[in-house]
Amino acid sequence: MGLLSLGTPLVWDEAKQYADHVRSHGITQFLHIWDRVKDRCGDELLWGDEIEYMVAVFDDQEKNAKLSLRQTEILAKLQAIVNDIVFDRGESDSVPTFHPEYGRFMLESTPGSPYTGELRDLLSVESNMRYRRHLARKYLKPNEIPFTMTSFPRMGVPGVFTEPYYDPVDAVSSHSLFLPEEITNPHARFPTLTANIRRRRGSKVAINLPLFIDTHTPRPQASSAFSWPLLSELNHTPEAKKGAALIDHIYMDAMGFGMGCSCLQITFQACNITEARRLYDALIPVAPLMLALTAASPLYRGYIADVDCRWDVVSASVDDRTEEERGLKQQPLKENRFRIPKSRYASVSLYISEYWMNQPAYNDIDAPYDSAIFERLRKHGVDELLSKHIAHLFIRDPLVIFSESIDQDDTTSNDHFENIQSTNWQTLRFKPPPANSPIGWRVEFRPMEVQMTDFENAAFSVFVVLLSRAILHFNLNLYIPISKVDENMARAQKRDAVHAQKFYFRKDVFPPGPSQPSSVVSSCPSTPVSEHGGPILVNGVNGKEKKLRNCYPLPPKPDDAALPAAVEDEYEEMTMEEIMNGKGASFPGLLNLVYTYLETLDVDEESTRRIEEYLDLIRRRTNGSLRTAASWIRNFVRSHPAYKFDSVVSQEINYDLMVAVDEIERGVRKAPDFLPEHCVRSKQ
């Protein structure tokens, strides 16, 4: 969750005076990094996952599952345990790490060291995730459990939903009606970030999710938005009266509702900057698909929503744009520099690769950028696309500035750059190497919702890693206009989007030349290039590779690579099943491309079986024989004996849901419509 600096944070009226200073020095820091590593090449594939947990505490007598606000104490205990394990083993690479997150009920975990391209690393992901959960659980109280659930169903309800209980009346940083101040991580960064978003915006954040209307759901009267239980509690708030709370919606008013959601993220180290930009672009159209497939959050503030995903919740929860920037005032800008179409948490707005496949027509949405920063980058030798990307990120103000960190050595620090980079929360993040670090150019894949079990989280991680290698190996072209990616993001969040929606996708993903899956392997580049320009030897059986890798050389533009008369001819609407399993002769489907890539690897029979189990989950979630987490959760609530078909998730229903999720994760409860039978094979 961004930088966790120590020091004295500035309130917004003080921080905004240093906005230009941070932007200017942030660009200076980026340019120092650019000068040092723009030509760096040959970095091996390293990758890792980040998983966020929420810790719940169970009151079995009252049948109440609540959020445990013991993050500081829990992390201190885990850190001590991790240190002891490291000391006993004499090394730290295999020992996972735990980190704080925005919510005081949240933990973030990562592997102790990055995974490599070795197949044994790919197949160790699930056991590593289990080990992390085991460590976390082992040192919690007996009635506390770490969950990988995207959203807590009853956060913000009237009454007791945290342990210990706090009254939201003293929510000084968010001014929330629903969430107490104490639900936020006490590190100075987090309440300051919360307060400065509100102050910069000029009002509280306003989150409105469409309510799932069930048989007995109370409806508002036409004459008053406040005659209905969902809104009656708001009738004393001026912002709600001005329209912040919408009819037939679940209204939320604090950053905690969004940044209190959990997700699953994957970060890749690329061979060089060119490959990182190529991979970044290629995964942009994939992001909405993976959001839909991992949909896991249909419940908010004690109600059933008519959406399945967190994305718009988080987006609205950190939307610091003023009314001018949101375009709500039609007169010329007076107080702000730009009209900004999107929140800081949004889908990507610009492709950035210079490879010939990236045509100007694909960047077809309004993506404002700072022209002065753009010109500065261009004069320094940064190409137009990357300059525009950076200048677009830097239209934002820094939200948290520590007084002790205002003046930095721009040759050794990149904190000012990261201050703005890390608070642009997009579906993907292009990550330059840190200052004076052995780490290379990276790409972070950010759209996925965290899944309820380690098996699912491992399956989606493995699929994304394998797909990323297939894209590079076969030099696939997945470009569609950014406007269509944005439309896909909106569709991906709708209820049961995997089966009810169609998504825009490219009709022919192969470069000019043979296009059938069976011919792809022989037609694609096969010799990787090392840091020193020589070939990297393939050390497998029958010419097959032993490991996943980086450093795929990009072929030049073929002479017959004629562009279509219209970009609209390159894509069409497809079902998720068509995108995954194929449509017609020219598009084999993403799953089949992964299988074809696997044929290029030297994989033993047991490893093949394990990988197939993961891919089978993706296939069955796609074809509907297994529910998404969101669908399963929604069905559990609506099938509960205490449910009154009024859209309400009661305390009893929530308690039983959390018990069921824990039992499924531990393998003691079967859910044949949700998980395949084989996924319980290694439960402890």
Side-chain angles (χ1 to χ4, degrees):
M1 173 74 202
L3 299 169
L4 287 186
S5 303
L6 295 176
T8 307
L10 302 180
V11 298
W12 177 243
D13 285 343
E14 297 171 345
K16 67 183 181 181
Q17 300 175 36
Y18 294 98
D20 287 336
H21 174 89
V22 171
R23 277 190 289 265
S24 176
H25 285 270
I27 294 300
T28 300
Q29 292 170 0
F30 170 77
L31 290 174
H32 279 295
I33 293 171
W34 169 266
D35 288 340
R36 281 197 297 266
V37 297
K38 67 179 185 295
D39 298 321
R40 173 175 173 158
C41 187
D43 285 318
E44 67 172 315
L45 171 62
L46 298 175
W47 67 279
D49 69 82
E50 298 176 24
I51 285 185
E52 293 166 346
Y53 304 89
M54 58 179 65
V55 179
V57 57
F58 284 79
D59 183 337
D60 296 330
Q61 184 174 352
E62 296 292 331
K63 288 194 173 297
N64 193 7
K66 299 170 285 185
L67 292 170
S68 173
L69 304 186
R70 293 198 313 117
Q71 181 196 77
T72 302
E73 180 183 343
I74 292 168
L75 282 174
K77 180 67 173 178
L78 284 172
Q79 187 58 55
I81 297 302
V82 165
N83 289 341
D84 288 345
I85 296 173
V86 170
F87 179 80
D88 291 341
R89 294 184 182 180
E91 54 87 24
S92 61
D93 287 354
S94 62
V95 183
T97 56
F98 293 88
H99 316 274
E101 256 296 341
Y102 179 90
R104 199 178 291 201
F105 54 89
M106 300 174 74
L107 307 172
E108 179 185 281
S109 76
T110 57
S113 61
Y115 300 117
T116 70
E118 296 286 348
L119 287 170
R120 64 174 177 270
D121 280 9
L122 190 72
L123 296 175
S124 72
V125 173
E126 184 180 352
S127 60
N128 189 287
M129 291 177 175
R130 291 193 189 285
Y131 181 47
R132 283 180 260 167
R133 190 188 297 263
H134 169 73
L135 277 181
R137 186 166 189 145
K138 184 176 180 180
Y139 297 102
L140 296 177
K141 292 180 178 179
N143 63 337
E144 288 178 328
I145 295 173
F147 284 91
T148 45
M149 290 183 68
T150 299
S151 64
F152 185 71
R154 283 178 56 82
M155 185 165 71
V157 299
V160 179
F161 63 91
T162 64
E163 177 64 40
Y165 168 79
Y166 294 98
D167 194 320
V169 70
D170 294 321
V172 294
S173 61
S174 70
H175 291 187
S176 176
L177 298 170
F178 313 114
L179 300 185
E181 183 72 13
E182 291 81 4
I183 207 165
T184 305
N185 184 321
H187 186 285
R189 167 181 164 83
F190 297 103
T192 302
L193 182 62
T194 304
N196 284 358
I197 285 175
R198 174 177 53 78
R199 290 166 179 153
R200 188 190 186 284
R201 176 184 170 92
S203 65
K204 290 196 298 185
V205 297
I207 309 161
N208 286 279
L209 283 188
L211 179 72
F212 175 76
I213 306 299
D214 215 331
T215 309
H216 300 136
T217 303
R219 303 301 301 277
Q221 297 176 7
S223 60
S224 172
F226 298 99
S227 62
W228 172 44
L230 279 177
L231 295 177
S232 61
E233 69 234 45
L234 311 177
N235 58 10
H236 63 287
T237 63
E239 288 171 332
K241 288 181 178 179
K242 290 179 181 178
L246 303 180
I247 293 174
D248 286 349
H249 284 70
I250 304 166
Y251 173 63
M252 295 168 279
D253 66 346
M255 184 176 173
F257 283 108
M259 285 301 184
C261 291
S262 298
C263 64
L264 167 66
Q265 298 174 356
I266 309 293
T267 300
F268 304 93
Q269 177 176 265
C271 177
N272 51 36
I273 186 174
T274 300
E275 186 171 273
R277 293 167 68 174
R278 174 85 176 92
L279 183 60
Y280 176 91
D281 279 12
L283 290 175
I284 289 171
V286 175
L289 310 178
M290 299 312 298
L291 177 62
L293 281 168
T294 59
S297 48
L299 310 179
Y300 291 89
R301 210 167 67 76
Y303 297 101
I304 307 176
D306 204 27
V307 297
D308 280 359
C309 299
R310 80 196 186 285
W311 194 265
D312 281 351
V313 179
V314 192
S315 179
S317 78
V318 295
D319 191 355
D320 69 329
R321 294 174 299 161
T322 66
E323 289 188 350
E324 266 193 351
E325 289 171 329
R326 283 177 276 153
L328 300 180
K329 295 181 177 180
Q330 297 304 314
Q331 64 265 32
L333 293 171
K334 294 181 179 180
E335 300 178 357
N336 302 106
R337 302 186 303 150
F338 305 98
R339 284 198 172 89
I340 305 177
K342 296 181 181 181
S343 166
R344 303 176 81 111
Y345 196 108
S347 53
V348 170
S349 294
L350 291 167
Y351 293 115
I352 63 174
S353 174
E354 289 191 288
Y355 194 45
W356 68 267
M357 290 180 180
N358 181 17
Q359 301 299 315
Y362 300 140
N363 282 329
D364 68 335
I365 68 169
D366 179 22
Y369 61 92
D370 188 308
S371 58
I373 289 175
F374 174 79
E375 291 300 328
R376 182 181 171 194
L377 291 164
R378 293 291 288 128
K379 288 178 181 178
H380 196 87
V382 182
D383 62 89
E384 180 176 349
L385 287 173
L386 187 56
S387 294
K388 190 169 289 188
H389 166 75
I390 299 295
H392 171 63
L393 299 182
F394 272 61
I395 64 173
R396 310 288 181 173
D397 285 337
L399 291 172
V400 179
I401 299 174
F402 290 90
S403 60
E404 296 85 351
S405 302
I406 292 172
D407 296 314
Q408 300 176 8
D409 182 348
D410 293 336
T411 64
T412 61
S413 174
N414 64 333
D415 284 359
H416 282 325
F417 174 77
E418 285 297 329
N419 192 324
I420 293 177
Q421 155 96 340
S422 67
T423 53
N424 276 271
W425 298 281
Q426 299 180 344
T427 43
L428 280 99
R429 182 174 285 153
F430 175 72
K431 304 180 75 169
N436 301 315
S437 167
I439 297 172
W441 297 90
R442 292 153 297 150
V443 174
E444 186 177 50
F445 189 70
R446 302 172 47 81
M448 293 190 291
E449 309 231 298
V450 75
Q451 303 297 283
M452 296 192 296
T453 70
D454 295 318
F455 172 79
E456 297 167 273
N457 287 315
F460 282 107
S461 299
V462 167
F463 174 72
V464 171
V465 172
L466 291 174
L467 179 61
S468 76
R469 297 310 97 184
I471 289 169
L472 296 175
H473 187 98
F474 300 135
N475 195 27
L476 300 179
N477 182 353
L478 302 184
Y479 283 105
I480 60 173
I482 288 286
S483 62
K484 299 306 178 187
V485 177
D486 285 354
E487 175 62 28
N488 284 349
M489 282 295 293
R491 296 180 182 188
Q493 300 174 69
K494 294 183 181 297
R495 176 161 48 94
D496 198 27
V498 171
H499 308 115
Q501 298 293 318
K502 288 188 175 182
F503 299 90
Y504 293 102
F505 207 76
R506 193 175 182 89
K507 291 188 282 189
D508 187 352
V509 299
F510 298 110
S515 60
Q516 296 298 322
S518 60
S519 65
V520 172
V521 177
S522 60
S523 67
C524 72
S526 60
T527 305
V529 178
S530 75
E531 182 177 3
H532 307 290
I536 297 176
L537 297 179
V538 175
N539 189 27
V541 177
N542 297 323
K544 294 188 175 184
E545 297 190 61
K546 296 287 290 184
K547 59 189 292 188
L548 316 181
R549 62 170 170 87
N550 282 338
C551 303
Y552 290 93
L554 287 175
K557 180 179 179 180
D559 295 335
D560 60 347
L563 298 177
V567 169
E568 292 77 13
D569 296 334
E570 298 180 342
Y571 60 86
E572 63 181 343
E573 290 180 285
M574 299 186 194
T575 65
M576 185 69 78
E577 193 162 9
E578 288 171 334
I579 292 172
M580 287 294 166
N581 296 325
K583 181 180 182 181
S586 60
F587 181 55
L590 298 183
L591 266 171
N592 288 326
L593 287 166
V594 167
Y595 279 116
T596 306
Y597 168 69
L598 286 170
E599 292 175 6
T600 72
L601 301 178
D602 181 14
V603 188
D604 62 63
E605 185 174 335
E606 173 60 18
S607 298
T608 299
R609 185 187 66 80
R610 291 277 308 283
I611 293 172
E612 171 57 31
E613 290 179 350
Y614 295 138
L615 298 183
D616 182 60
L617 176 72
I618 310 299
R619 180 187 302 104
R620 296 182 64 187
R621 288 279 169 89
T622 299
N623 65 27
S625 59
L626 291 177
R627 295 178 180 271
T628 63
S631 175
W632 186 89
I633 290 170
R634 187 188 303 276
N635 184 65
F636 181 95
V637 173
R638 298 190 72 242
S639 302
H640 194 282
Y643 181 62
K644 299 178 181 179
F645 295 91
D646 55 358
S647 309
V648 174
V649 183
S650 68
Q651 177 176 304
E652 178 187 355
I653 294 171
N654 184 60
Y655 175 88
D656 289 344
L657 171 65
M658 301 296 282
V659 168
V661 171
D662 176 52
E663 290 176 345
I664 289 172
E665 206 297 312
R666 291 188 290 116
V668 299
R669 179 188 182 115
K670 292 186 177 181
D673 61 338
F674 175 58
L675 289 176
E677 184 70 26
H678 58 68
C679 80
V680 301
R681 69 196 185 299
S682 60
K683 297 286 185 184
Q684 297 176 353

